Amino acid sequence: MLLFFILGLLVHFVFFGSIFDIYFTSPLVHGMTPQFTPLPPPAKRLVLFVADGLRADTLYEFDENGNPRAPFIRNIIMHEGSWGISHTRVPTESRPGHVALIAGFYEDVSAVAKGWKENPVGFDSLINESKYTWSWGSPDILTMFAKGVGGDHIYTYSYDAESEDFGASDVTKLDTWVFDNVKEFFHAARNNQSLFSKVNEEKIVFFLHLLGIDTNGHAHRPTSREYKDNVKVVDDGIKEIVSMLEHFYGNDGKTAFIFTSDHGMTDWGFHGAGHPSETLTPFVSWGAGIKYPQKVSAQKFDDAFLKEWKLENWKRQDIHQADVAPLMASLIGVPFPLNSVGILPIDYLNNTDLFKAESMFTNAMQILEQFKVKMTQKKEVTLPFFFTPFKLLSESKQLNIVRKARSSIKQRKYDEAVSLCKELIHLALKGLSYYHTYDRFFLGINVVLGFVGWTSYASLLIIKSHSITRGVSKEVKKPSHLLPCSFIAISVLVAFFLLIQDCPWTYYVYCLLPVPIWYAVLREFQVIQDFVLSLLTFPPSQLVGYLFIFTLGIEVLVLSFFYRYMLTAGLIAFACWPFITQLWTRAKSISLSWIFFSLLLAVFPLMPVVGRKPDIFLVMGAGLLVLLLSLCVVTSLIKRKDRFINEELLLHLFQMLSIVLSMWVVYTTHDSLLKKKGLPLLNQIISWITLASSFVLPLLSPTSLFERLFSILLSSMSPYLLLSTGYEALFPLVLSCLMFVWIRVEQETLQQLSVSYKQKATSLQFTYSPDITQFRQLYLDDIRRAFFLVFFLVTAFFGTGNIASVNSFDLASVYCFLTVFSPFMMGALMMWKILIPFVLVMCAFEAVQLTTQLSSKSLFLMVLIISDIMALHFFFLVKDYGSWLDIGTSISHYVIVMSMTIVLVFLNGLAHLLTTKKLRLCGKPKSHLI
């Protein structure tokens, strides 16, 4: 069984990773020739301000008093430069955003997990192409463009990573540090001849990364006074820097300025997905080579922002984030970044028509170079009779458009030349996308074959292990050598096909994985045949009815990822379930408990997303309810047992003390952060100790079913309270109550099936080695049990206030543990918060397996089958087109359901450990079975 689960885990890891190879691979190609405009540029130097995490609406809107929130930037828009909205792409994180701005291409979605500090792959950028670049800001961002770059022309100045503290009294110091250091730098340049000559060179860049707004947004949310005040600080700082630079360079008019953001932020202080609040960022440019403001009478946009921002009469020019890189390269006359897919926004340029046409031609040739390299690479690794070229941009058409564009420039038909270049760019970008996704259908088919094969094999294991087809066919045929030989031949042919096409190693995994899976399926042909024959003995109407109910259940689970209220509908249906069975007549008290807690749990999916409206008093209330329940349970145990062992009583008291400490830490930490005093060290120490002890304390409790499960609940609630910000703190308590009732319900339903098992749930012991002879035959009702588990697991995710998106999590959840920015540590803590309700459900499932006398392997396989069918749904629903909100959501859905399937394997083992393992602090003999 262990080997089977290891193989299953590996298979699911392959399925999980397949989405990134099929839909989101790195777009980078190498081997292009640099392209630059053969005309003198309008600017000698470029100053790039990036306000990390700044939303467009926050910058452009007016404050409560009717004054511009950023008066200097507003003045630029109205009197000196051009403005618009920069549209970012998923994932809306700092690394991909800065890469798009400075290198001009969009990293694949998986890049968000590759780190903020180093480059997973090398790429060209504006900074690399510049003669000199000086940059100030966060060490996480600046090192991305400096590491691995040849030469010594890039200089970085950054503060310590520890300064990025969400609990600091004033995080605007991250921005004032940058402004102060830039001023000191130019003051030093006046007294340093070598530095002075460098800063007076052409083709230089000054990059100011401003992290304060993003940090305040995470700590206090974008609607907070701190976030909005930080915008004013940045506005004032930019005003000072611009004034200083103009004075330093003697107002020579050769400095171009660009102000923008890498991404926005949701109202609850997070980013990463495709919500408009994350993808709409400000873009303002002025100075050398930039058009002055253009007054217009009317503008047509799909939104109502112009009226809200009172900018209806100033021309708004929206761009894509990657378009910023070619604009900056054009302004200072450096080669366009080699991997850039941005289209030069010539409407921003204040230059001659010749310069615009030449710049556009350079842009077109630079993107065409990528297309040619991509096509050549794909052609070289594809067999000639399999290769299908991109027909819309054949070699003859390329030459024709290039020739016409060059001829139009010579004839001074600049508008025509620009139009031809744009046509060439759009065709080349389509071609790049075509070759980038060339193998998508081929890989998708193989992954689907693997999915279907694995699900079929798991189903056959259940059927075979429970002899469901017993009695249909007694003839056992000898296995034929033809089948293994055929599959070996198929494997060799597939491997040879991939080898001669020089495919990456992952292609071998996706293409060869289905072969052994389907071999294992077809080996059980006799079982399949017998099963089909046994199905034919069922009345067709009954068979169709069961199939309809199963399909409806799966679709409800799938729809719950889009509409959380579907879980509420499901839980209401669960509450009605006792009435359509004999449970209501046989066990009214249990049925009433089931109905009450099902309806109570049904409220949670209707609640607002966690973090939107934090309420510390709800966390305190949840803690008090847990303490009250603990007192009742301890009192009940003392009365029930002839002698209540001192160690057990001490353990319960210690766990209750841990709950009290967690409540105190949550309250005092919240109070300290409100007063901007930071995270107290004592609170931090208690939080980490509580988290560590929560893994050990349940193992000290007795292994009797009720006591062990209650101990697990108490130990889990302590860290969960520390990680809670509002009503979600109540969720594990309600969920656990329903799980206790579920265990009793399943025992009652089993007795209805005339299974002779009368032992009370309270007297059951979790055991390491259950007697295999006690395992019963599989019933149709067991599919319902497996569905209940999957439904409860999905509820465990969405019921806590999450949504099916990577931006649904609230960083404030981890502030009792740390406030200094640490993406992986914070991510791990939030992941554990998500997993705690999962652990509670899986531990209850262990008890259900025990009380129903069914093999854990069989039940768990049914759960995996249901999860895999859901995953296959979402695999087909993944998209890389349409709005970025749709794209981000489709990715999130597949990642969440596949992560849940993979994590189930680990959680099954963790639940088994938590329920069966017993640690002894003393050398006394154990009084219970193991």
Side-chain angles (χ1 to χ4, degrees):
M1 182 177 171
L2 179 62
L3 180 61
F4 170 78
F5 279 122
I6 291 172
L7 289 173
L9 195 61
L10 290 173
V11 168
H12 283 88
F13 270 120
V14 171
F15 293 158
F16 179 80
S18 67
I19 185 180
F20 298 110
D21 258 334
I22 295 172
Y23 287 95
F24 306 102
T25 50
S26 174
L28 293 181
V29 289
H30 300 284
M32 290 80 68
T33 306
Q35 305 285 328
F36 58 91
T37 307
L39 292 174
K44 286 185 176 180
R45 65 200 74 91
L46 172 83
V47 183
L48 173 63
F49 301 98
V50 178
D52 204 305
L54 176 60
R55 291 162 46 150
D57 56 351
T58 308
L59 179 77
Y60 293 138
E61 69 186 5
F62 284 73
D63 62 20
E64 298 77 10
N65 300 319
N67 300 316
R69 195 171 303 285
F72 177 72
I73 295 297
R74 168 75 61 156
N75 182 68
I76 292 292
I77 292 170
M78 299 174 72
H79 299 103
E80 294 186 41
S82 297
W83 76 286
I85 291 177
S86 171
H87 295 263
T88 71
R89 287 194 183 182
V90 175
T92 46
E93 296 287 351
S94 291
R95 178 195 163 82
H98 280 87
V99 168
L101 284 170
I102 298 173
F105 71 92
Y106 301 105
E107 283 194 300
D108 62 288
V109 175
S110 62
V112 71
K114 294 177 182 174
W116 281 255
K117 299 181 180 180
E118 295 187 4
N119 297 329
V121 289
F123 57 84
D124 191 27
S125 70
L126 174 86
I127 287 175
N128 186 44
E129 296 290 355
S130 66
K131 188 162 188 178
Y132 294 108
T133 291
W134 290 269
S135 54
W136 296 265
S138 167
D140 299 339
I141 299 300
L142 303 189
T143 52
M144 282 169 36
F145 300 98
K147 187 178 176 69
V149 176
D152 57 352
H153 65 292
I154 300 174
Y155 305 93
T156 61
Y157 305 90
S158 58
Y159 37 74
D160 294 333
E162 288 73 23
S163 301
E164 300 172 24
D165 187 348
F166 298 125
S169 59
D170 181 18
V171 296
T172 59
K173 64 185 180 182
L174 298 174
D175 297 336
T176 54
W177 183 95
V178 171
F179 294 133
D180 292 342
N181 275 265
V182 173
K183 292 173 192 172
E184 290 174 13
F185 171 81
F186 278 97
H187 179 73
R190 292 184 181 277
N191 303 316
N192 185 322
Q193 188 57 43
S194 173
L195 182 58
F196 186 80
S197 62
K198 285 182 180 179
V199 297
N200 278 282
E201 292 276 3
E202 296 181 349
K203 302 178 181 180
I204 62 173
V205 175
F206 300 106
F207 171 33
L208 282 69
H209 175 247
L210 308 167
L211 187 62
I213 292 173
D214 183 75
T215 308
N216 259 319
H218 286 308
H220 306 286
R221 293 173 177 73
T223 54
S224 66
R225 172 54 51 198
E226 289 83 356
Y227 183 89
K228 294 173 179 177
D229 286 348
N230 203 153
V231 175
K232 184 69 170 65
V233 169
V234 167
D235 185 67
D236 291 339
I238 291 174
K239 181 180 179 180
E240 291 176 15
I241 295 298
V242 170
S243 175
M244 180 204 67
L245 286 171
E246 288 177 346
H247 178 70
F248 183 88
Y249 288 110
N251 295 302
D252 64 353
K254 291 292 182 180
T255 308
F257 298 93
I258 286 179
F259 174 71
T260 187
S261 174
D262 54 347
H263 56 75
M265 189 174 288
T266 60
D267 288 341
W268 54 98
F270 215 82
H271 52 83
H275 192 273
S277 61
E278 301 166 88
T279 60
L280 303 182
T281 60
F283 182 79
V284 183
S285 60
W286 68 99
I290 299 294
K291 267 188 183 176
Y292 288 100
Q294 302 172 67
K295 297 205 78 174
V296 292
S297 57
Q299 302 184 72
K300 289 185 179 180
F301 285 93
D302 294 334
D303 52 61
F305 293 142
L306 288 170
K307 190 174 182 181
E308 291 175 20
W309 302 334
K310 300 180 182 178
L311 289 169
E312 306 101 307
N313 299 324
W314 280 267
K315 188 175 181 181
R316 167 182 156 186
Q317 301 175 79
D318 287 8
I319 62 171
H320 295 291
Q321 194 171 48
D323 299 344
V324 178
L327 175 63
M328 294 190 296
S330 176
L331 289 171
I332 59 174
V334 299
F336 285 31
L338 294 174
N339 300 111
S340 172
V341 293
I343 303 173
L344 176 65
I346 57 172
D347 289 339
Y348 273 88
L349 293 176
N350 180 23
N351 214 313
T352 64
D353 290 341
L354 172 62
F355 182 86
K356 292 178 184 178
E358 285 286 1
S359 297
M360 206 72 205
F361 185 79
T362 303
N363 192 186
M365 295 307 295
Q366 171 259 324
I367 293 177
L368 183 62
E369 275 282 311
Q370 293 182 72
F371 169 79
K372 288 178 178 178
V373 171
K374 193 81 172 176
M375 182 182 69
T376 303
Q377 287 179 352
K378 186 52 65 180
K379 198 172 183 178
E380 286 175 350
V381 297
T382 308
L383 293 173
F385 49 87
F386 281 125
F387 182 72
T388 307
F390 182 62
K391 294 175 183 176
L392 295 178
L393 192 56
S394 60
E395 289 189 28
S396 59
K397 187 159 187 177
Q398 294 173 34
L399 292 170
N400 187 37
I401 296 177
V402 170
R403 194 182 299 113
K404 281 184 179 178
R406 179 46 67 194
S407 175
S408 297
I409 292 173
K410 286 182 180 178
Q411 295 172 24
R412 299 186 179 182
K413 298 177 181 178
Y414 301 123
D415 289 341
E416 184 181 326
V418 168
S419 179
L420 286 165
C421 290
K422 285 183 177 179
E423 180 190 354
L424 182 59
I425 287 172
H426 287 299
L427 287 173
L429 289 175
K430 279 185 180 179
L432 273 172
S433 176
Y434 172 80
Y435 288 119
H436 188 59
T437 59
Y438 192 83
D439 297 325
R440 178 173 296 177
F441 180 75
F442 170 68
L443 292 175
I445 287 292
N446 281 281
V447 171
V448 170
L449 282 172
F451 253 120
V452 175
W454 169 259
T455 307
S456 303
Y457 181 60
S459 303
L460 286 172
L461 281 179
I462 298 171
I463 294 165
K464 190 178 178 182
S465 62
H466 287 272
S467 304
I468 291 173
T469 61
R470 186 175 51 190
V472 176
S473 174
K474 304 206 174 182
E475 185 183 350
V476 180
K477 294 181 180 178
K478 269 191 169 183
S480 170
H481 293 294
L482 181 62
L483 187 66
C485 291
S486 300
F487 275 90
I488 290 170
I490 291 170
S491 300
V492 171
L493 285 172
V494 169
F496 181 71
F497 175 75
L498 296 173
L499 184 65
I500 59 177
Q501 295 202 107
D502 197 24
C503 293
W505 67 270
T506 51
Y507 281 41
Y508 288 84
V509 176
Y510 302 137
C511 296
L512 291 174
L513 182 64
V515 178
I517 292 176
W518 279 103
Y519 169 68
V521 170
L522 294 180
R523 272 187 66 190
E524 308 296 340
F525 180 76
Q526 189 64 52
V527 178
I528 298 170
Q529 190 178 41
D530 292 346
F531 181 65
V532 171
L533 290 172
S534 66
L535 284 179
L536 294 175
T537 62
F538 278 83
S541 57
Q542 190 178 1
L543 197 61
V544 170
Y546 286 141
L547 189 62
F548 173 76
I549 292 169
F550 181 76
T551 306
L552 181 65
I554 295 289
E555 292 307 316
V556 167
L557 289 172
V558 170
L559 284 171
S560 67
F561 279 69
F562 297 93
Y563 313 104
R564 289 170 65 211
Y565 60 77
M566 291 301 296
L567 292 173
T568 299
L571 287 165
I572 292 171
F574 281 13
C576 298
W577 173 61
F579 296 110
I580 60 174
T581 63
Q582 297 178 12
L583 190 64
W584 175 253
T585 55
R586 288 174 61 94
K588 276 193 170 59
S589 60
I590 294 174
S591 298
L592 285 170
S593 300
W594 173 262
I595 293 165
F596 174 74
F597 286 113
S598 293
L599 293 176
L600 191 59
L601 194 67
V603 174
F604 285 91
L606 299 176
M607 300 290 281
V609 174
V610 70
R612 312 286 174 93
K613 295 179 181 178
D615 190 339
I616 204 70
F617 295 105
L618 285 175
V619 181
M620 297 294 104
L624 289 173
L625 284 175
V626 173
L627 287 174
L628 184 63
L629 181 63
S630 303
L631 286 171
C632 294
V633 170
V634 170
T635 305
S636 172
L637 287 173
I638 292 173
K639 287 180 180 178
R640 187 188 307 160
K641 290 197 174 186
D642 296 333
R643 58 187 187 87
F644 194 67
I645 303 171
N646 289 334
E647 287 85 348
E648 295 176 24
L649 180 61
L650 284 174
L651 176 64
H652 283 298
L653 290 176
F654 186 83
Q655 288 178 313
M656 291 168 68
L657 176 62
S658 181
I659 296 288
V660 173
L661 277 175
S662 296
M663 293 167 63
W664 177 80
V665 168
V666 169
Y667 184 81
T668 54
T669 300
H670 182 260
D671 185 60
S672 179
L673 292 176
L674 273 181
K675 295 176 180 176
K676 298 186 177 179
K677 293 181 180 179
L679 171 61
L681 180 61
L682 178 62
N683 291 24
Q684 193 173 18
I685 292 169
I686 292 173
S687 297
W688 283 107
I689 291 173
T690 302
L691 178 64
S693 64
S694 68
F695 295 98
V696 179
L697 291 177
L699 305 181
L700 299 172
S701 65
T703 56
S704 61
L705 187 145
F706 180 78
E707 287 186 60
R708 176 55 67 95
L709 289 179
F710 187 71
S711 180
I712 291 169
L713 170 63
L714 284 185
S715 293
S716 301
M717 280 303 298
S718 296
Y720 200 86
L721 289 172
L722 293 170
L723 291 165
S724 296
T725 60
Y727 72 86
E728 81 272 19
L730 295 162
F731 179 80
L733 185 59
V734 177
L735 178 68
S736 296
C737 290
L738 183 60
M739 291 300 99
F740 281 117
V741 179
W742 184 35
I743 295 165
R744 294 294 305 278
V745 163
E746 292 299 352
Q747 194 176 30
E748 286 294 330
T749 55
L750 195 66
Q751 289 176 14
Q752 291 175 28
L753 296 171
S754 303
V755 177
S756 57
Y757 193 70
K758 304 291 182 183
Q759 191 176 2
K760 291 183 178 180
T762 51
S763 63
L764 285 172
Q765 295 275 338
F766 285 110
T767 58
Y768 264 130
S769 309
D771 185 358
I772 296 175
T773 59
Q774 291 181 354
F775 290 153
R776 59 173 174 79
Q777 187 67 28
L778 190 71
Y779 296 116
L780 197 61
D781 203 38
D782 292 318
I783 299 175
R784 191 263 311 155
R785 290 186 177 91
F787 176 79
F788 270 26
L789 174 64
V790 178
F791 191 93
F792 286 137
L793 288 171
V794 174
T795 306
F797 181 80
F798 292 109
T800 54
N802 298 312
I803 56 175
S805 175
V806 293
N807 71 3
S808 68
F809 311 114
D810 182 17
L811 282 181
S813 300
V814 303
Y815 288 169
C816 288
F817 293 88
L818 75 163
T819 53
V820 176
F821 181 63
S822 176
F824 296 110
M825 182 61 73
M826 288 176 164
L829 286 168
M830 286 190 287
M831 187 59 66
W832 181 240
K833 179 185 177 181
I834 293 167
L835 290 179
I836 285 173
F838 280 55
V839 171
L840 294 174
V841 173
M842 289 303 295
C843 289
F845 188 56
E846 281 282 319
V848 167
Q849 292 176 57
L850 186 64
T851 58
T852 57
Q853 297 173 279
L854 185 66
S855 162
S856 60
K857 177 183 174 182
S858 299
L859 266 178
F860 192 68
L861 278 175
M862 284 189 281
V863 169
L864 281 182
I865 290 166
I866 294 170
S867 301
D868 284 341
I869 293 171
M870 289 173 60
L872 196 56
H873 267 74
F874 289 119
F875 181 82
F876 286 116
L877 291 173
V878 171
K879 57 173 73 173
D880 62 349
Y881 58 88
S883 74
W884 287 107
L885 180 59
D886 293 339
I887 293 169
T889 302
S890 72
I891 300 165
S892 297
H893 287 170
Y894 183 76
V895 168
I896 289 168
V897 76
M898 278 307 300
S899 299
M900 190 170 72
T901 306
I902 292 169
V903 167
L904 270 179
V905 180
F906 291 108
L907 288 181
N908 189 54
L910 179 60
H912 187 72
L913 173 72
L914 287 173
T915 53
T916 58
K917 183 68 175 176
K918 178 75 167 82
L919 292 180
R920 287 183 299 161
L921 298 180
C922 305
K924 295 178 182 179
K926 291 179 251 187
S927 58
H928 54 272
L929 298 173
I930 283 189

